[in-house]
Amino acid sequence: MTAEGRPLVSVIVPVYRHQPYLVPALESILAFDYSPLEIVIQDDASPDDAFDVIQRVVDAYAGPHTVKIGKNETNLSMANFNVLMEKASGDYIVAAHDDDIQYPDRISRIMDAFLTHDVSMVTSNSVRIAANGDVIGPDKKAAEDRLIIADEFAATGWSPFVYGAALSWHRDVFDQFGPIDINGTARASDWIIPYRASLLKGIYYLKSPALSRRIHVNSRGAIGRNTDDQDIFVVETHSESITQLVYMLKTTQDALAGGMIGDAKHQSLAASIQELIVRNSQHVARARNRLHMRKLRATWIGHSAGAVTTSDVPNLGVTGDGMEILTPEGMMATLPKRLSTRRKIVKAVKGTPWYWVALKNPLGIRYWWAVRRLQREFRQVMMGQQPNNE
């Protein structure tokens, strides 16, 4: 609590690869009307010039808020929240994304709700906007101010009232449970952080929008919706749900061990989460079997590869991360670039083992070595692995 009687609030801004939207996002954050306020901006090793943009905007700022900036040496994904929490000084934390537009009174309204309702998290409605800023509409057209408790999360897994872009929490949410385990959760912040808060004092939802949430091809909400094949979509999305639910189950056990909930509450929550895990597993199994009958498999791609359609799946090529991801069909499509004749291509992949090629043509070292490499790559792809090029 500050001398003025108002709590210090820390705004945490995880930045990654959203340079086209970064300037208006940062300017809206710097325009918050609440005080005392510190703003902590951490670039997660963006491949673009996002950090240079951050420095320019902050250097030009002459307002009352304290601003801290930093950049990770390597991409940490969800672990970037742990870095931000270590740097944040306030008892109350407000998340602000690097591609959204904040309303000036967002924090003032959030703090009123925190102090009035004595909860561990406050979230709000938002207005969705397109990449160019055009208004799409509110996330929730019919909503009411309301309290959200742990039973609701255990029954559904995720709540549409807790988009990551609109989250704010008391730092007990991290102090009580510790840093986010990146091996225990997938990419989303709007599963485990709200669930932690619901196990403490609960969450209060504000029906009135407090920010504009930008929807674009590289937004966090678009990742995972990168295929028009329904079976691949089901495998990818439900697999992620299972990952989040398993972490929630572990968090429920931690809450019991830490005395945050009693045994009866633990058993009730755990039973609901386990039922969701089984239900999601059934969806994955059925979709995977349908893919198997169609001679397809769900293919993981780099997030920066953008949207992927069914026609792209056989040959994904090189992603924006520079990582080569190929199916057997994709491997065959690239072989003409590596060997000069169709006879050699067929022989390299499906024909005589490389060591017999070497015995028949011992002086053609370059050729049979290329055959060996291609056969090894093809076997790895057939086994569902990524080629380990030598």
Side-chain angles (χ1 to χ4, degrees):
M1 191 75 69
T2 64
E4 294 80 9
R6 294 205 292 184
L8 172 65
V9 174
S10 295
V11 179
I12 59 171
V13 188
V15 174
Y16 183 67
R17 210 167 49 84
H18 288 159
Q19 188 267 358
Y21 317 106
L22 191 52
V23 170
L26 293 178
E27 288 177 344
S28 71
I29 293 167
L30 294 169
F32 279 134
D33 64 8
Y34 182 90
S35 181
L37 188 71
E38 73 167 8
I39 299 167
V40 186
I41 307 168
Q42 191 71 18
D43 178 37
D44 197 15
S46 295
D48 53 26
D49 63 344
F51 189 69
D52 294 336
V53 173
I54 294 169
Q55 287 186 311
R56 289 199 299 269
V57 173
V58 173
D59 288 346
Y61 176 67
H65 307 319
T66 301
V67 183
K68 306 175 183 177
I69 66 173
K71 182 176 182 179
N72 300 327
E73 293 184 3
T74 59
N75 181 258
L76 301 180
S77 188
M78 280 291 293
N80 194 28
F81 279 90
N82 297 334
V83 176
L84 286 159
M85 286 300 297
E86 289 177 1
K87 291 187 172 185
S89 306
D91 286 333
Y92 294 89
I93 311 296
V94 174
H97 285 178
D98 57 352
D99 52 353
D100 297 331
I101 302 298
Q102 310 295 320
Y103 298 173
D105 64 345
R106 179 189 173 196
I107 297 180
S108 298
R109 292 167 51 202
I110 285 172
M111 291 308 301
D112 285 344
F114 267 121
L115 300 178
T116 300
H117 301 285
D118 190 27
V119 290
S120 294
M121 173 174 283
V122 175
T123 183
S124 73
N125 204 349
S126 62
V127 173
R128 288 173 294 159
I129 59 174
N132 63 0
D134 289 348
V135 174
I136 300 172
D139 276 318
K140 288 291 181 184
K141 293 182 179 179
E144 296 296 332
D145 293 351
R146 59 186 294 259
L147 183 69
I148 305 172
I149 60 175
D151 301 77
E152 182 172 335
F153 283 100
T156 61
W158 175 80
S159 169
F161 296 98
V162 293
Y163 280 108
L167 300 184
S168 59
W169 58 87
H170 192 280
R171 68 176 312 115
D172 280 349
V173 170
F174 273 72
D175 289 348
Q176 294 289 328
F177 289 97
I180 290 176
D181 177 8
I182 60 171
N183 294 317
T185 188
R187 61 178 174 81
S189 61
D190 49 5
W191 287 65
I192 193 60
I193 300 178
Y195 185 62
R196 288 178 169 190
S198 73
L199 290 167
L200 296 175
K201 295 182 178 180
I203 302 168
Y204 199 79
Y205 174 81
L206 300 173
K207 66 180 180 181
S208 180
L211 70 151
S212 293
R213 186 167 66 90
R214 198 183 301 271
I215 307 298
H216 56 93
V217 67
N218 288 323
S219 64
R220 292 167 177 84
I223 298 171
R225 295 164 175 80
N226 51 12
T227 176
D228 62 4
D229 188 301
Q230 184 61 28
D231 289 328
I232 294 176
F233 175 81
V234 167
V235 171
E236 186 170 319
T237 54
H238 285 277
S239 295
E240 181 172 311
S241 295
I242 292 169
T243 304
Q244 303 284 359
L245 289 165
V246 170
Y247 194 10
M248 288 172 62
L249 188 62
K250 173 61 166 58
T251 302
T252 309
Q253 296 168 347
D254 293 340
L256 174 66
M260 302 170 223
I261 58 175
D263 186 64
K265 175 62 71 174
H266 169 261
Q267 291 184 22
S268 173
L269 295 173
S272 296
I273 295 171
Q274 288 165 352
E275 182 180 344
L276 285 176
I277 291 172
V278 171
R279 194 184 309 165
N280 278 272
S281 298
Q282 290 173 336
H283 285 298
V284 171
R286 291 166 183 165
R288 186 183 181 281
N289 287 340
R290 288 193 296 268
L291 287 169
H292 176 74
M293 296 302 294
R294 294 161 54 201
K295 310 301 181 187
L296 293 174
R297 66 176 61 187
T299 306
W300 290 94
I301 67 168
H303 286 169
S304 60
V308 172
T309 64
T310 305
S311 60
D312 295 314
V313 171
N315 178 19
L316 293 178
V318 179
T319 74
D321 294 324
M323 181 174 63
E324 192 175 37
I325 300 181
L326 298 173
T327 62
E329 295 85 352
M331 178 69 75
M332 289 298 293
T334 66
L335 290 178
K337 301 176 182 177
R338 307 188 187 197
L339 296 174
S340 59
T341 69
R342 183 171 180 79
R343 180 183 62 81
K344 290 182 178 181
I345 294 168
V346 174
K347 182 180 292 186
V349 178
K350 297 182 178 179
T352 307
W354 70 272
Y355 42 85
W356 283 109
V357 175
L359 287 174
K360 292 179 180 180
N361 186 14
L363 297 179
I365 296 175
R366 292 182 61 184
Y367 169 62
W368 59 256
W369 189 259
V371 171
R372 175 182 180 272
R373 185 182 72 248
L374 289 169
Q375 288 181 342
R376 285 169 59 89
E377 290 178 14
F378 188 77
R379 284 198 304 274
Q380 289 172 325
V381 172
M382 291 297 291
M383 293 171 63
Q385 304 170 359
Q386 294 307 316
N388 181 19
N389 298 325
E390 297 180 352

